[in-house]
Amino acid sequence: GESVGLHLPTLSVQEGDNSIINCAYSNSASDYFIWYKQESGKGPQFIIDIRSNMDKRQGQRVTVLLNKTVKHLSLQIAATQPGDSAVYFCAESFTGNQFYFGTGTSLTVIP
Amino acid sequence: NAGVTQTPKFQVLKTGQSMTLQCAQDMNHEYMSWYRQDPGMGLRLIHYSVGAGITDQGEVPNGYNVSRSTTEDFPLRLLSAAPSQTSVYFCASNTKGRAYGYTFGSGTRLTVV
């Protein structure tokens, strides 16, 4: 399978600060990327996606940045809230409907 | 709209036992897949199906069987459970277009003793 790795397995931030979660991918042919949020005891949930013809995409309080040159993806969460505490996964896709997932980063928001 | 429903939520099996993990979706998604999630290893694809009557192997298919007789259902069968199959299992579905990735079920936590 494809290697999708995360630089930091855990991240702790103060409530109200911005969070940045990083992801490295290995397949230069990957053309579609998704960030998922997984809360304890639940399945992953879609947060935001980006296609390879873009380098930035913004959602509500979240921004995804794609750097194809170094095969790097990041998720920025603005004004982090306690409800943002979860494990965040990046996933890449280059063919069909298959996605390859990273190992996840655990985000803890400190009140 | 229930989305993706998995049953059971928890299961303990003895080594050598067989069982079926159920998965159903009500979104008329063509594509369904099974993943297992182990600590530090992310989500790994076991089997997937691109439509009724069509299944294929993923990254870690050994010890598992699947079938897709209807669009809605995609059960995962453990033929002879082994401790190495202790994991959290997720069923997921999406449309052919890949957009928005998968809709995941809430998972089945399986322990094989």
Side-chain angles (χ1 to χ4, degrees), chain B residues 34-68:
Chain B
W34 276 101
Y35 284 85
R36 59 178 288 173
Q37 184 175 34
D38 301 300
M41 300 190 74
L43 290 156
R44 293 185 292 169
L45 182 65
I46 305 172
H47 285 285
Y48 66 98
S49 167
V50 299
I54 306 169
T55 63
D56 207 345
Q57 297 180 349
E59 186 182 354
V60 288
N62 292 340
Y64 308 94
N65 274 356
V66 292
S67 60
R68 184 92 180 273

Side-chain angles (χ1 to χ4, degrees), chain B residues 8 13 15 17 33 41-42 46 48 52 66 68 72 87 91 99 109:
Chain B
L13 288 178
T15 297
Q17 286 185 316
S33 55
M41 300 190 74
I46 305 172
Y48 66 98
V66 292
R68 184 92 180 273
E72 294 79 18
S87 187
C91 179
R109 184 174 294 275

Side-chain angles (χ1 to χ4, degrees), chain A residues 29-105:
Chain A
S30 292
D31 62 354
Y32 184 50
F33 306 86
I34 294 177
W35 278 100
Y36 287 92
K37 174 185 180 183
Q38 185 178 24
E39 296 175 285
S40 181
K42 298 183 179 179
Q45 291 181 299
F46 172 92
I47 301 173
I48 191 168
D49 60 353
I50 189 167
R51 299 195 180 274
S52 59
N53 60 353
M54 304 171 68
D55 52 22
K56 180 179 180 179
R57 190 153 191 239
Q58 288 184 294
Q60 187 176 11
R61 283 201 307 119
V62 294
T63 300
V64 55
L65 299 178
L66 176 62
N67 186 330
K68 294 181 288 294
T69 302
V70 295
K71 291 184 286 188
H72 184 267
L73 197 67
S74 68
L75 176 71
Q76 300 178 2
I77 305 174
T80 313
Q81 303 169 357
D84 294 327
S85 292
V87 175
Y88 290 82
F89 293 93
C90 65
E92 64 176 314
S93 175
F94 58 91
T95 183
N97 280 42
Q98 290 199 34
F99 285 84
Y100 299 90
F101 291 82
T103 54
T105 291

